[in-house]
Amino acid sequence: MKNIIIVATGGTIAGSGKVGKATNYQAGKINIKEIIDSIPMINEVANLKAIQLFNVDSNEMNEEHWIILANKINDLASQKNVDGIVVTHGTDTLDETAYFLNLTINTYKPVVLTGAMRPASATSADGPINLYQAVCLASCDDALGHGVMAVFSSTIYSGRDIQKISNFKTDAFDQKDFGCLGYMQDHEVHFFSKTFKKHTLQSLFSSQNYNDLPAVGIAYYYAGASHEILYSLALNHQGIILTGSGSGNYS
């Protein structure tokens, strides 16, 4: 069997609240080992080791967490006895973390993110099946070289293009016009697409060591938006992204 490391960062998959309810819970409350113990068949897929790196709501994720996480994954991936890595993560910023890791991870070994829309204490919690399938994907030989991926609701997504599109459905992610990479059927992995964008070892960012990141602000344009916010952002940011309308237009 393959050797897979699960790096836990918290989120809804580690959340707990009133038994049976999917709302009003506390994210990042349960240890990753408790989640693994709730999925007996997962130990038939791979030799697992779990690391509780963080245990936070994903809205608390920031650049410092990203750097720590990327450095930890790069360190683990450099070990010959590690075949793949799974990261458990909250859904609110999972797509942002996936994009960052896709550019900064220095390995072709499978790195797979997953999470949950329902806390572990909810009826029909989706975390166990998502984690199980993420481990299955990370253990699959065909998963090599696809860059950072995410598994959610039996769907395989590229870390570059995944987007959260729903705040209430368990099928909460999509890649819109770009399509998904494939799908999971229980433990089986089915790929039918591949990203041709540069990632991981091909990315110019993956060979660099990061201690911090430059501050970049994002301003959204809307009808009647004032330009004053750009001056405000310029005071304490080294760059500004202006998200305009249409093809990036603004007044």
Side-chain angles (χ1 to χ4, degrees), residues 48-66:
L48 298 178
K49 179 181 178 181
I51 298 172
Q52 189 76 55
L53 192 62
F54 316 118
N55 208 354
V56 298
D57 187 312
S58 69
N59 287 304
E60 302 301 324
M61 278 287 169
N62 55 33
E63 297 92 335
E64 293 181 9
H65 289 108
W66 281 350

Side-chain angles (χ1 to χ4, degrees), residues 191-207:
F191 281 107
F192 52 74
S193 182
K194 188 172 185 178
T195 178
F196 290 96
K197 298 295 183 179
K198 291 183 178 180
H199 59 72
T200 53
L201 291 176
Q202 304 164 354
S203 167
L204 61 88
F205 302 106
S206 68
S207 60

Side-chain angles (χ1 to χ4, degrees), residues 90-165:
T91 61
D92 285 348
T93 57
L94 184 148
D95 46 4
E96 295 186 54
T97 298
Y99 188 93
F100 175 79
L101 294 177
N102 197 47
L103 292 175
T104 56
I105 295 305
N106 193 26
T107 183
Y108 277 151
K109 293 180 181 180
V111 176
V112 183
L113 277 72
T114 195
M117 287 296 289
R118 295 171 179 163
S121 52
T123 300
S124 299
D126 55 326
I129 183 61
N130 287 341
L131 180 55
Y132 173 72
Q133 291 186 331
V135 170
C136 292
L137 177 59
S139 304
C140 178
D141 290 336
D142 291 339
L144 290 167
H146 282 275
V148 172
M149 296 172 287
V151 166
F152 220 91
S153 193
S154 297
T155 309
I156 305 170
Y157 298 102
S158 164
R160 180 185 186 275
D161 299 313
I162 185 174
Q163 302 175 53
K164 186 173 182 181
I165 61 167

Side-chain angles (χ1 to χ4, degrees), residues 221-238:
Y221 172 74
Y222 54 92
S226 170
H227 62 274
E228 295 297 329
I229 191 173
L230 300 179
Y231 292 112
S232 177
L233 287 172
L235 294 176
N236 51 15
H237 291 85
Q238 293 169 267

Side-chain angles (χ1 to χ4, degrees), residues 209-230:
N209 294 319
Y210 297 98
N211 295 314
D212 55 25
L213 296 172
V216 176
I218 302 176
Y220 278 81
Y221 172 74
Y222 54 92
S226 170
H227 62 274
E228 295 297 329
I229 191 173
L230 300 179

